[in-house]
Amino acid sequence: MLLTAYVAFAVLLAICLGLEFSACRAKLTVSSCTNPVFLRFQLDYYQVYFLALAADWLQGPYLYKLYQHYHFLEGQIAIIYVCGFASSVLFGLVSTSLVDWLGRKKSCILFSLTYSVCCLTKLSWDYFVLVVGRILGGLSTALLFSAFEAWYVHEHVERHDFPAEWIPATFSRAAFWNNVIAIGAGVIANFFAEWLGLGPVAPFMVSIPFLMLTGIFAMKNWDENYGKKRALSKTCIDGLKCLLSDRRVLLLGTIQALFESVIYIFIFLWTPVLDPYNPPLGIVFSSFMAASMVGSSLYRIATSKRYHLQPMHILSLSVLMVFFSLFMLTFSTNPGQENPSESFLAFLLIELSCGLYFPAMGFLRRKVIPEKDQVGVMNWFRIPLNLLACLGMLILHDSDYKTGTRNMFTICSVMMVMALLAVVSLFTVVRNNAELKVPSPQVQNELSSPEL
């Protein structure tokens, strides 16, 4: 597995570089923003946001390994993960209202503090302390995915009065660098944990300086802004009405809940499946992130004017690929006949599918869900998503380790069959809906060349 992991990482990194180089050459004729005030504002945002992302990604490769290092059983580790998912549900529901009330800048500083405390709890061997840390991690993640983007959008439109059409360019670049940071974080985590021999707690300690710098730069360079006061009950009620009144929204929610809950279970299972064969976990994680980046690049190519595939088709392909990967895993994790290389390949295919899935799902959500109902509908989407993931963890907790892992992949395969049926139903509903299609090549050319 050691050689396999390094070879896979090298190959995927080469593919990433090739795809991005081709994309850069294709964009040479496209005008870019040269407004110095906007570029400075964008840099102030990236400086804080990228540090936060780096701190978050550093904690990914060795989380399960750390709990295992403290000699907890898989069932006990599953309960810690369930606490994290439950925390994500709770804080995900209130995070937007909390951020609007507290202030976006203060929320970003709060993120740096709570996530730092979360990292410090990893030094403890006490089970209760680790559970509390996981709950704080749920709060921190909710703040990461709500406060930073909300701060940027408000400053962009309200304070600086830049054109709203420039916002997607900022987030598109942020998404690209998010992938790069994730790949680099895996290598850095591996360096400290394995190459220097500091153990699985080391990446969490390395995260703390990044988190501190996040809070310091936000405090120093950002102005405070607040959102409109919105009653959580009204937001949720309006979201539920939108969900129940539009079949497209309901089907999208079903697909998201099934697909992403399977991904959460995969995040839990990949370490115990591969770790007995002593792979470099940080490099394995970087390989996963590189595979996801390849998927994102393939999505951009597939929806370009040359191929002009539709997000609905790509969503279908990503769900089908995950089903195929899970089907492979039910055989490669069969007790007594384990095949770690085949499991690793299946995991890479899952990450590649994620790279295709998230931009396709994001495009369809923006088109189907009215902007005023986005927050409420997403709150309802998160509930079944996290409940399914928690249920999967609890089922695994009550199972024998050897057969439980294989059974879990079998259950996930069934869930992906259900997701495929939902995709087919959605395709039937929207196949003649021009609104849910990428603009024609002529229109796309006009939209991709604004005079910034």
Side-chain angles (χ1 to χ4, degrees), residues 16-32:
C16 285
L17 292 172
L19 290 173
E20 290 304 322
F21 179 72
S22 299
C24 288
R25 290 188 63 185
K27 291 178 182 176
L28 286 177
T29 58
V30 179
S31 61
S32 58

Side-chain angles (χ1 to χ4, degrees), residues 3 11 20 33 56 129 144 168 175 197 236 308 368 372 401 424:
L3 180 62
V11 170
E20 290 304 322
C33 178
D56 183 50
V129 172
L144 176 62
C236 290
H308 202 51
V368 168
K372 65 182 180 64
Y401 164 68
V424 171

Side-chain angles (χ1 to χ4, degrees), residues 254-305:
T254 302
I255 296 165
Q256 178 172 332
L258 292 168
F259 187 99
E260 295 184 25
S261 60
V262 167
I263 299 306
Y264 281 6
I265 294 169
F266 150 70
I267 290 170
F268 174 80
L269 287 176
W270 74 266
T271 303
V273 169
L274 298 180
D275 191 51
Y277 306 96
N278 298 315
L281 295 179
I283 299 301
V284 169
F285 181 84
S286 291
S287 299
F288 291 163
M289 296 302 100
S292 179
M293 189 173 181
V294 169
S296 299
S297 299
L298 291 175
Y299 174 84
R300 291 198 303 271
I301 293 170
T303 55
S304 67
K305 61 182 180 180

Side-chain angles (χ1 to χ4, degrees), residues 93-380:
L93 289 172
V94 301
S95 62
T96 303
S97 300
L98 174 65
V99 165
D100 289 344
W101 172 77
L102 181 63
R104 278 73 178 262
K105 174 182 172 178
K106 293 188 188 73
S107 298
C108 294
I109 296 170
L110 177 63
F111 157 84
S112 70
L113 294 174
T114 56
Y115 224 4
S116 295
V117 175
C118 171
C119 291
L120 288 172
T121 62
K122 302 300 188 293
L123 292 170
S124 174
W125 290 59
D126 186 271
Y127 189 75
F128 176 75
V129 172
L130 293 171
V131 168
V132 171
R134 189 66 174 160
I135 292 170
L136 285 174
L139 168 61
S140 304
T141 303
L143 292 173
L144 176 62
F145 291 119
S146 57
F148 290 84
E149 182 175 324
W151 180 89
Y152 176 83
V153 172
H154 184 280
E155 293 291 307
H156 181 108
V157 176
E158 301 295 335
R159 192 181 302 274
H160 294 282
D161 197 28
F162 294 129
E165 293 78 17
W166 295 5
I167 294 176
T170 297
F171 290 143
S172 175
R173 187 173 297 175
F176 166 77
W177 284 108
N178 181 36
N179 287 327
V180 174
I181 290 167
I183 295 170
V187 176
I188 293 170
N190 198 90
F191 175 79
F192 282 97
E194 299 191 31
W195 297 345
L196 293 184
L198 298 178
V201 76
F204 297 92
M205 298 304 103
V206 175
S207 293
I208 294 176
F210 287 92
L211 291 166
M212 290 295 96
L213 287 173
T214 298
I216 290 168
F217 285 141
M219 191 183 303
K220 179 182 176 182
N221 299 331
W222 287 12
D223 295 314
E224 185 59 279
N225 63 59
Y226 298 86
K228 296 178 180 178
K229 301 296 188 295
R230 292 171 290 184
L232 178 62
S233 58
K234 186 178 187 306
T235 300
C236 290
I237 289 171
D238 291 344
L240 183 61
K241 288 179 180 177
C242 177
L243 187 65
L244 297 177
S245 62
D246 191 333
R247 191 182 174 199
R248 300 175 305 168
V249 177
L250 187 60
L251 288 169
L252 268 183
T254 302
I255 296 165
Q256 178 172 332
L258 292 168
F259 187 99
E260 295 184 25
S261 60
V262 167
I263 299 306
Y264 281 6
I265 294 169
F266 150 70
I267 290 170
F268 174 80
L269 287 176
W270 74 266
T271 303
V273 169
L274 298 180
D275 191 51
Y277 306 96
N278 298 315
L281 295 179
I283 299 301
V284 169
F285 181 84
S286 291
S287 299
F288 291 163
M289 296 302 100
S292 179
M293 189 173 181
V294 169
S296 299
S297 299
L298 291 175
Y299 174 84
R300 291 198 303 271
I301 293 170
T303 55
S304 67
K305 61 182 180 180
R306 181 175 181 181
Y307 298 100
H308 202 51
L309 292 180
Q310 295 304 323
M312 193 65 233
H313 300 142
I314 297 172
L315 179 68
S316 307
L317 176 62
S318 64
V319 174
L320 189 60
M321 286 175 63
V322 171
F323 168 73
F324 175 73
S325 302
L326 292 166
F327 187 71
M328 286 175 59
L329 286 163
T330 59
F331 291 97
S332 64
T333 58
N334 190 28
Q337 299 177 338
E338 293 91 346
N339 188 330
S341 297
E342 187 177 321
S343 297
F344 181 45
L345 175 60
F347 289 150
L348 290 174
L349 286 175
I350 289 175
E351 285 290 352
L352 178 67
S353 303
C354 288
L356 295 168
Y357 164 86
F358 284 107
M361 176 59 79
F363 176 89
L364 293 169
R365 272 203 310 259
R366 288 192 301 272
K367 295 295 185 179
V368 168
I369 306 172
E371 187 175 352
K372 65 182 180 64
D373 295 322
Q374 287 273 350
V375 173
V377 171
M378 288 305 297
N379 284 342
W380 286 107

